[in-house]
Structures are given as structure tokens and as C-alpha cells.
Amino acid sequence: MSDAYASLAHVLAQLGELTGRPGRLPEALDVADLSHRTGIPVGIVVDLLLGGRAPETCLPQRVRQRLDFIRETRRRPDGKRYSLDELARIAGTSRQWLSEWRKSGMPSLEHTDRLRRFFGLPAGFFTADEPEALHEALRPVLQGLEAEADPLVRLRESGLVRLAARAPQMNARQLATLADLAEMIISTERTGLS
């Protein structure tokens, strides 16, 4: 678990630099959204963002907490809570088995995967420990902030900058193709299609 905390600390340090709020990330990030996406209670998300540790939980307890979290936070289109019967149907099992899972915390992978996919949750939602789950939820946030801070980051990641550095060795047709590709990327950015 210490590796998960080290990975999280690294991402938090990067986020602190990019937001200009090291040690004050709960002010800069949407804590409620992070909680919703990870299944981690808001208070624990805040503690983790401040460099703290989450209470130790065993896997069955974590699975049980996340299943209850889904039931409390996800709503049907009409705004009502999903019943145990509905969750069992989504998971492809019976209400009796779902009730057993809630007691034991050990559902089958197939059934938890059905729930995860139905609710659009990330892989590992039920099993990832808190620092691991938060790290995964923060990665896209970090990538977005990096892209805002350095608009060329996407060009570098796509290899376009490296390709442009080879321009002196290119013939006229290759240069024209490279220019067309760069123009396509720029125009896509302007129209907001990417």
C-alpha cells in the first residue's frame, strides 16, 4: 500500500505546482466529484489531498462500503434511489445474493463488473484502496491542467514536435504533409472538435 501512497504523493505534488496551492488542494479541486467517482467519502478524499492517510480497510469491507456508496449516491432517472431488487437485476443476480454480498463484502467479479459498467465506474472501483482510487481519479485532472499550462504538451505527446525537428531531412512532399497535419490539429482546436 505504501507504493499507492507514494504515487498519490507524486501526483499531489504536481497538482500543487500547477494549481499554485500546494497543501491546499481541497480548495482547488472538486472534492465532491472525486468522492463520487472513487466511492471514497468526502472527508477521506480531503485527508488524502492534504497528504494524510485513509483508515485501513480489508477488501470485503471496502467492497461493501463501495456497494453501499453506489446505492446512496446513484439515482434512477426519476431521481429515486435504486432498490436492492433493481441493483440485483443490474448485477445479474437475485436480491438474496445481493443481500449476502452486502454482509460478506465478497461478490463475484462478474456481478460487480456489471454494476461498475452500468454506472460508468472506473475499473477497480470496488477493489482499489483509497490512495490508488484517488490517484487514478486525479490523473485526468493532472493531464488537463498540464495541457492548460503548456498548450504544446499534446503536440509533444503525439510526436508532432519530434517529427517537426526532422524537417530539414524531409522532402517537399513530406513537409507539405506535415504542414497539413499541423493545420488540421490547429483548426480542430479552434473549432473545439477535439
Side-chain angles (χ1 to χ4, degrees):
M1 183 127 81
S2 62
D3 288 341
Y5 279 105
S7 297
L8 179 60
H10 180 70
V11 167
L12 294 176
Q14 291 176 297
L15 285 167
E17 279 182 40
L18 288 168
T19 61
R21 295 186 179 177
R24 297 188 346 241
L25 287 175
E27 300 169 10
L29 300 173
D30 187 345
V31 175
D33 179 62
L34 290 169
S35 172
H36 193 262
R37 290 189 291 136
T38 60
I40 304 170
V42 169
I44 295 173
V45 170
V46 170
D47 289 345
L48 289 169
L49 290 175
L50 294 173
R53 294 180 98 57
E56 292 289 325
T57 57
C58 62
L59 181 60
Q61 182 183 4
R62 194 165 43 245
V63 170
R64 192 172 32 256
Q65 287 172 343
R66 304 264 169 91
L67 183 59
D68 288 342
F69 187 86
I70 286 174
R71 189 145 184 262
E72 292 299 319
T73 61
R74 287 359 187 233
R75 299 287 187 242
R76 297 185 331 205
D78 64 5
K80 294 181 181 177
R81 257 175 50 164
Y82 284 93
S83 69
L84 287 177
D85 286 328
E86 289 169 316
L87 288 176
R89 208 171 314 113
I90 292 165
T93 190
S94 68
R95 180 184 171 145
Q96 290 77 17
W97 276 107
L98 187 65
S99 294
E100 263 315 296
W101 295 349
R102 290 181 70 219
K103 290 176 190 168
S104 71
M106 295 306 291
S108 77
L109 292 175
E110 178 184 346
H111 296 118
T112 55
D113 193 53
R114 286 183 182 174
L115 283 171
R116 181 190 71 76
R117 289 177 188 273
F118 180 84
F119 290 108
L121 301 167
F125 177 85
F126 288 99
T127 58
D129 61 23
E130 286 78 2
E132 182 183 7
L134 186 57
H135 175 266
E136 287 303 310
L138 288 172
R139 283 182 35 202
V141 174
L142 177 62
Q143 290 169 345
L145 288 172
E146 285 174 334
E148 287 176 21
D150 182 2
L152 296 179
V153 75
R154 282 200 188 116
L155 294 176
R156 281 192 208 97
E157 287 174 355
S158 70
L160 191 58
V161 170
R162 192 172 52 251
L163 187 59
R166 296 190 339 206
Q169 293 88 29
M170 293 182 181
N171 62 38
R173 186 178 55 78
Q174 292 169 324
L175 283 171
T177 302
L178 180 60
D180 289 343
L181 179 60
E183 186 56 40
M184 182 179 69
I185 291 170
I186 292 168
S187 65
T188 301
E189 287 292 317
R190 282 188 196 135
T191 59
L193 295 175
S194 67

